[in-house]
Amino acid sequence: MNTEDTLAIHALLADYGHVVDDHDWGRVDEVFAPNFVFDRTATGRPDVHGPAGVVAEFKGQHVRVPHPEHHA
């Protein structure tokens, strides 16, 4: 992995934090691919599929929701 790849990964994680925490749903397609799957098998919760699934899962929740804290 080169420096450019590393910076792109860090930028994506930062964008994830802003989109999800700020509920900036107009940018969800910038962070999540159409075939994205959030595998939550280990938690016993259903998987989340694609950008629309992310919006459906988190939209309207006014408290911090349990999601990976990569941006914390």
Side-chain angles (χ1 to χ4, degrees):
M1 194 163 62
N2 61 34
T3 302
E4 192 173 285
D5 293 337
T6 301
L7 290 173
I9 291 167
H10 283 272
L12 178 64
L13 290 173
D15 286 345
Y16 163 85
H18 291 292
V19 168
V20 174
D21 288 352
D22 296 342
H23 295 203
D24 189 359
W25 307 127
R27 294 184 56 211
V28 73
D29 291 328
E30 295 175 26
V31 179
F32 299 97
N35 61 347
F36 165 79
V37 177
F38 184 3
D39 180 353
R40 301 191 301 181
T41 305
T43 67
R45 297 173 69 192
D47 293 345
V48 176
H49 295 267
V54 172
V55 173
E57 180 69 17
F58 295 115
K59 189 174 186 175
Q61 295 186 15
H62 300 290
V63 296
R64 182 168 216 135
V65 295
H67 61 278
E69 300 289 338
H70 293 161
H71 55 278

